[in-house]
Amino acid sequence: MIQPHRDIENWTLTTPAARSSRGAVASQHRLAAQAGAAQLDAGGNAIDAIVATAYALNAVEPWMSGLGGAGFMVIWLAKEQRAVALDFQGTLPDDMRLEDYPVDPALPATPMGFPGVVDNANTEGYRSITVPGAVAGLDHALSRFGSRSRSDVMTPAIQLAERGLHVDWFTSLQIGVCARTLARDPISASIYLPGGHPATPESRLRIPNLAETLGEIAEGGAETFYSGALTERIVSDLQAGGSRISRADLAAYEVFEYAPMAAEHRGYTLYTPGEVSGGLRQREMLAYALEAMPTPPENPTAETWLAYAEALEQCWKRHKVRNGVITEQGACTSSMSSVDAEGNMVALTYTLLNRFGSGVTLPSTGMLMNDSVSYFDPRPGYPTTMEGGKRINSSNMCPTVAVKDDEARFSVGASGGNLIMPAVTQVAALMMDFDMSVEDAIHHPRIDASYRGSVRVDPRFSPETLAKLGQRFELEIAQQVVFPKLYACVSAVSRNPTTGECVGINDPTQPVGGGAAPAPFHIEPLDDDEPVVRP
């Protein structure tokens, strides 16, 4: 039995939930959730709320997601009683060349399990960037299913970007973890490493041109980003840094809208983006668990957690057989959920891939860019080999909307690479198998299993559960901590169709995360004495 993280921090992590009959939003940053909830307060719907939340994260959590990223969204449309999935994953440039990524045997494998290449070109810097799909995906969702104007929805994000990024201890931690990568890029270094060191708490960072870029998108939408004036500056910066992304690559980008994958479990239908996400593994895990536990006990038992662990091991084994070496690690990405009074519900997960992505901030736009080239193999002859125009087609992201009796009951998603699907599916299973509230399910101890030779277990589990799991698996006894996040970072909302109460909550390990109820958006003024770091 391995005990690498047992009881090393002397506190109990809890987080409050937001409640309202008018809807709720949950996000990895409270201000972003409040930006989304303000759309509900102004008469908007859950789609307006999720888009506002996603854009606001550019200004308050830039290291996880943003304009330079990509992802998935699942939407439940209450009046139509149907679910929709959006795939806005990144694509490789048409002029992709394997010779730009020579394998370096002296380097460790990348977080995706592929060989390292010379100068880390597939994980850091301009050559690691794919065509970003975030703006296309968010604009598609808003124009197709939203109810408010783009300008109204994006105003909070612009206000936050104009104010600048308030640095707290958690922000300093994120910067410090990635200081080496950020130091490679002059613009990123000037923003996040003032004086050559990670920005310190109680300072404020100004990200040059970000507010202006958000304003241009608010006015011109995806068109200006992919085939307009903004395109020219994006491509000019990219190519000056060595990227092969062209204007034609941006112009050719498209969002995929489709019927999501459905999984049935105890009267619920769970909708996910399907096989290109963690959705297939989720469906398989629930099927294994249902077979092992046809009738659940009143409360989870040691046998319950053994069934869940074995189900996770089995679905991950099948996944690794299907996909080979893709083993995305880390605790990056941003996930958010929203629900409105009408019962519309959304789960959105999008990402720069690794924390701070490529480490590149484009000088003309203030956009922090992804490093999603690392989703692909630099060696020839594999299904995942880098190839011009190829789209990211395998991800751990697993935004989920659960529907019962034609009513959306909850949506849940998470950040955390390989940790995502196990955490999302456990929260969902606890709510479906044991009728737990979303608040209780989020706070319940978790396991993490992905067919890697051991199972990670929270020491808050009962001695009986630990003993039962230890009879079957080698255990890593690992406390839930703020960093590293060992059980993912979950965001979720729920709605009771009988009472109309909506609840929003973020993972207790995320000190800046939270849920928000509808209210006008208001930014607290910052102290005039607070130092502003300007590149």
Side-chain angles (χ1 to χ4, degrees), residues 29 220 356 437:
H29 199 288
F356 284 100
S437 69

mmCIF file of all heavy atoms in Angstrom, residues 29 220 356 437:
data_model
loop_
_atom_site.group_PDB
_atom_site.id
_atom_site.type_symbol
_atom_site.label_atom_id
_atom_site.label_comp_id
_atom_site.label_asym_id
_atom_site.label_seq_id
_atom_site.Cartn_x
_atom_site.Cartn_y
_atom_site.Cartn_z
ATOM 1 N N HIS A 29 -13.777 29.623 -11.404
ATOM 2 C CA HIS A 29 -13.512 30.928 -10.808
ATOM 3 C C HIS A 29 -14.841 31.601 -10.509
ATOM 4 O O HIS A 29 -15.722 31.679 -11.374
ATOM 5 C CB HIS A 29 -12.662 31.807 -11.735
ATOM 6 C CG HIS A 29 -11.993 32.939 -11.011
ATOM 7 N ND1 HIS A 29 -12.683 34.022 -10.534
ATOM 8 C CD2 HIS A 29 -10.690 33.127 -10.661
ATOM 9 C CE1 HIS A 29 -11.846 34.847 -9.922
ATOM 10 N NE2 HIS A 29 -10.625 34.326 -9.991
ATOM 11 N N GLY A 220 -17.691 41.688 -33.817
ATOM 12 C CA GLY A 220 -17.683 40.978 -35.095
ATOM 13 C C GLY A 220 -17.855 39.477 -35.022
ATOM 14 O O GLY A 220 -17.973 38.820 -36.065
ATOM 15 N N PHE A 356 -1.188 26.906 -18.945
ATOM 16 C CA PHE A 356 -0.633 27.983 -19.766
ATOM 17 C C PHE A 356 -0.361 27.541 -21.203
ATOM 18 O O PHE A 356 0.321 28.237 -21.949
ATOM 19 C CB PHE A 356 0.645 28.572 -19.147
ATOM 20 C CG PHE A 356 0.375 29.488 -17.975
ATOM 21 C CD1 PHE A 356 0.515 29.029 -16.679
ATOM 22 C CD2 PHE A 356 -0.009 30.805 -18.172
ATOM 23 C CE1 PHE A 356 0.267 29.862 -15.596
ATOM 24 C CE2 PHE A 356 -0.253 31.645 -17.094
ATOM 25 C CZ PHE A 356 -0.115 31.174 -15.797
ATOM 26 N N SER A 437 -27.715 14.571 -3.343
ATOM 27 C CA SER A 437 -27.731 15.923 -3.882
ATOM 28 C C SER A 437 -26.400 16.198 -4.553
ATOM 29 O O SER A 437 -25.387 15.524 -4.272
ATOM 30 C CB SER A 437 -27.956 16.941 -2.763
ATOM 31 O OG SER A 437 -26.819 17.001 -1.914
#
